[in-house]
Amino acid sequence: MIQSLHTFCFSKLRLTITPLLLLFIQSALSQSVPDVFDKYTSVGQLGLTVTNFGVLGNGWNRINGRILPSSQYKQHTENLREQVEHFSSAGLWVGGIVNGERRVSTAIVDGVFESGQEGFEFIATSGMEIKSSISSTSQDSMAQFYSPYAVSHQDLITDFKDFGENPSDNFGIPNHTPLGVSIHLEAYAWNFTYADAFVLLNYTITNQSEETIENIYTGIWTDASVANMNYTNRYEPGGGFTWYDNLDGFDRSVDGGGFTRDLSYQYDLDGDAGWAESYIGLKVLGSTVPRPYLRSNHNQWVWTTSTNTDYPDFGMPLNDSERYKQLSTSVRRGSGEAFTEAGYPSNANSWLFMLSTGPLGTEPISADSSKWQLSPGESVNVIFATVAARWNGGGEDSHNRRANFHVNADWAQRAFDGEDKNRNNHLDEGEDIDYDGEIDRYILPAPPPVPNMTVDVGDQTVTVYWADNAEDFIDPISRQKDFEGYRVYGARKTAGGETAEFTLLAEFDQSDSTFRHIGYNTGFDAVRITNDFGEPDSIEIEGNAYHYRFTNNNVKNGWLNYYAVTAYDRGDPEANLGSLESSPYANRVYVYPGAKTVTNNWTLEPGVYPNPYQGQAVWEGYGSRERMIWFTNLPRMAEIRIFTLAGDLVDVLQHDSPTYAGADIQNIDQYKSPNFGGGEHAWDLITQHDQALASGLYLFTVENQDEKSSSFGQVKEGKFLVIK
C-alpha cells in the first residue's frame, strides 16, 4: 500500500503550514513514487502555485525566509498595495457514479491536518515538467525550458492519480473509494500585458479502472481569502490579517460573444483601506463535451461549517454523496436582506467557494445528452481558468467594479478558443456532436518579443543596451512583420512602494511613411550603435550582441532603480486590435547606481553616504535590520574594517566586486538580482556581535586586496557619524 506522507497543518485563525507535502515514502511493498513538487507560475502577474498532487496554492508557506506566491496578483510590482494574495490553497475534486454509487476523489477538503486523513486523496505519479515558448536570451529563467511544443510562456506539466497499486487501492485513506482515475495537468501562463492575470488549468481525466464511470463532474475547491501581506505586517493598528471579511459571488454576465461568463469569485468586503482591492475567480473555459451540454455550478460555505443556521443551503458537504451533489448542482440562491442582489450571502465571513462543471464523458448515454459516460481506458478533458483583477474603481461590488475582471476572464476564454471563432458551441439542429481536435487553441495575438537587454551601472548613471531581436517577428494572427518601435522605462523604488510602477523615459518609433499615424516617427538614430563610418553596428557584452544604447544620467546613487525595454507593433485593424506591447516586467533589470570598480591604481578616497546617518535613511524599510549605508570608491577586492573612536572593532566587511550581490544585509532583495557599479558596498549598521549600532563617530579602514592592482595592500581611512 502506498502511504502519502504529506502534512498540511493550519488553522483559520493563524496559518502555519509545514513545507507543502514534503515527500512521499515508499510503500510496504517497496514501491517508489515521485517526490512531491510545487512550482509557481512566474512569467505573468498571477503567481499561482501548482503541485503534482492536485493542490493549488502553497498556504503562504515560508521557504528559506521568503513567502512564495500562492495565488498572488500582482506578483511583479513594486507597488505594495497591489501585491495581493487570494487563497491559501485550492484543489481538484472529481466525482462520478460507478455501478450506481456516488464517488468523489478530492485533493483537499476543509480541516485536513495530516497525511492519511480523508480529503488528501491524490498521489503524484510524475515530477513537474516545465516548458516555455520563450527562447529569448533576455529571459534566461524561461529560455532554459524552451520547447517548440510549449503551449504558453510557461507550461507546468504533471500527473497524479486517486489510487495506489491498482484502481481499487485507496492507500489507507478513510472513507476513500477511488474512482480509479489518473489526472494529467497542464497549467499555462503568459507574460503578455493583456494576458498576465490568468492561469489556465488543462485537466485530462483518464479512466484506469475496469468500470464505466457515468456523469463525471469536476470542480476546484478554493479556500479563498483576499489579503495583502504588506498591510498585515507593517501597518498597525488597523492592519492585521483576517479570514472573516470576505464575500463570494457568481457572475453570470454576458460576454461579447453572447455567452455567460459563469465566474465564481471572492473579494475583500472593504478592500482593507486600499490594500486588498482585488478579485479572484474561477471560470470553466471548455471541455471534450461541447459547451451547450456543459453546465457551470457555484457552491460556497463557511470554513468547516456543515450546518449554517444563517444560511441553511450553504453548508459544507461531509461525505462522497453530499460532495457529488454539490459538484453536480448549484447552491440555491436566496433573497432578502441577508443576501446580495444576486442571491448569495451578504455577511462577510471565512467563505470558501467551488466552481464545478459537468456532466463529462466521451459519449452521451441519454437522448438529450444530459448524461455522459467514460468507459475504461478513455479520457475526458476539461479546462478551468484562475483569473484575478484589480477593482475598477471603488464602491460596492457591481458589474462596473468587475470591469477589469471581465476583461481578464474574456481574454482567458479567448486564449482557450484560439482560432475557433464559434467556440464549438453553435450546433445546428440534428448536427452530430463532434469535438474538433483540429482546432488550433491557445493562439493569442502577440506583441513583438521582449528585447534582449542588459545594463551598465556607474556613478549616477545607468546605460541600457538592447538587441534588435524583436524586429523580424511575425505576428501569429496577421502573419505579417508588424514591429513598430521601442519604449524605455525606468523607476526608482521608494519607501512604502506606493508609486506608479514605471515611468516612460523614451520612445523610439520607425520613421516610415506608411504608418506615420503610429508613434512619434523619431527613427532610431538617437540610440542606434554605429561604427566609425556611421553604419549600424553592435556591441558585444558577455557574449551577446546589442544594437541600441540609451543612457539615463543624474540617477541618485544608493537607491534601488529598475529599467525595462519593450517592443510594440502597429496593431491589426482587421482583427480589431490596437498596438500591442511586450511586457515591461519580462526583462526588468534592477540596479543600484554607484561608483564603478577601481581596477588598477586606486587613487580615489573611500567614503560613506549618507554621512551623517540621521536616524533612518529614506530608502530603508520599517525593520531595525532594514537600515543601510554605503561605502564607496572601493577597489575591486577590499576589506573594510569599522572601529569605534576607542579603537574597538565593530565589524569587518569583505568586498568582492565580481560576486557582490548585497547578500550580507536584509535591505537588498537578492531575488531581484540587482546590478551594482562594483565600487560600493552596503552595510546594515549591525555589529559583528549582532547588535544595532549606537549613535556616535566611527572610523573605518579600507585595504586594497586586489593582487592585480598596482596599489595592492594599500590602506586608506575615513570616518562617519551616526545620529539616532
Side-chain angles (χ1 to χ4, degrees), residues 2 27 35 99 166 215 246 374 383 415 528 578 584 628 656 685:
I2 297 175
S27 70
D35 287 342
N99 295 325
N166 58 70
N215 283 355
N246 294 275
L374 188 67
I383 299 90
R528 193 189 306 274
M628 184 169 66
D656 182 352
L685 284 80

Side-chain angles (χ1 to χ4, degrees), residues 250-287:
F250 189 47
D251 188 328
R252 292 185 56 81
S253 59
V254 177
D255 65 18
F259 304 100
T260 55
R261 293 188 172 94
D262 291 349
L263 279 161
S264 287
Y265 66 93
Q266 185 173 106
Y267 59 95
D268 185 286
L269 182 59
D270 61 5
D272 287 345
W275 287 83
E277 295 184 344
S278 186
Y279 286 102
I280 186 66
L282 292 168
K283 175 178 173 59
V284 178
L285 301 180
S287 169

Side-chain angles (χ1 to χ4, degrees), residues 340-376:
T340 65
E341 185 177 343
Y344 300 102
S346 60
N347 293 332
N349 210 322
S350 180
W351 291 103
L352 286 77
F353 70 87
M354 181 172 65
L355 179 70
S356 60
T357 190
L360 303 176
T362 53
E363 56 182 309
I365 54 176
S366 63
D368 61 357
S369 297
S370 62
K371 296 181 180 180
W372 292 69
Q373 69 178 19
L374 188 67
S375 299

